[in-house]
């Protein structure tokens, strides 16, 4: 994949160590039997060709808006619908 330009990869690469809010394209996901909207907030730990890894990462769920996922979470770049860099992960946002 050498020589292929990817502006999203380049932008995220420059944000390593910064916090980010990511919304994926899925309508909802399921974790531990809990359905939730795919809204994640965390620190960019690594960016590789095709993926971004967040850790620590909060999953914004209605029942637990500050649930901290216990391991690094890797998200495929093609599944990112929207993102906001330098987002305060402690900020309260409406989820309903």
């Amino acid at each position: 994949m050498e020589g292929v330009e990817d502006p999203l990869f380049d932008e995220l690469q420059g944000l390593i160590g910064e916090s980010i809010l990511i919304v994926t394209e899925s309508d909802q996901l399921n974790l531990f039997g809990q359905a939730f909207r795919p809204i994640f907030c965390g620190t960019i730990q690594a960016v590789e060709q095709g993926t971004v890894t967040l850790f620590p990462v909060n999953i914004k769920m209605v029942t637990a808006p500050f649930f901290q996922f216990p391991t690094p979470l890797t998200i495929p770049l093609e599944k990112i619908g929207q993102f906001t860099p330098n987002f305060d992960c402690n900020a309260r946002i409406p989820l309903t």
Side-chain angles (χ1 to χ4, degrees):
M1 301 261 321
E2 204 171 306
V4 175
E5 288 188 33
D6 185 347
L8 178 59
F9 173 81
D10 294 339
E11 184 171 356
L12 293 174
Q13 190 79 39
L15 294 171
I16 291 176
E18 301 291 330
S19 64
I20 190 169
L21 178 79
I22 293 179
V23 180
T24 62
E25 292 180 347
S26 303
D27 290 333
Q28 71 178 24
L29 299 174
N30 193 311
L31 178 69
F32 306 127
Q34 173 73 41
F36 62 95
R37 293 181 185 196
I39 303 171
F40 309 96
C41 191
T43 301
I44 299 176
Q45 185 179 47
V47 179
E48 298 185 17
Q49 206 63 39
T51 64
V52 60
T53 302
L54 306 178
F55 189 76
V57 60
N58 290 339
I59 299 175
K60 301 290 191 177
M61 293 188 266
V62 172
T63 56
F66 297 103
F67 174 75
Q68 190 159 21
F69 200 67
T71 63
L73 184 68
T74 301
I75 300 170
L77 296 182
E78 69 268 9
K79 295 298 181 183
I80 296 175
Q82 300 174 2
F83 71 94
T84 303
N86 301 312
F87 191 86
D88 178 6
C89 292
N90 293 318
R92 294 186 178 270
I93 56 174
L95 299 174
T96 57

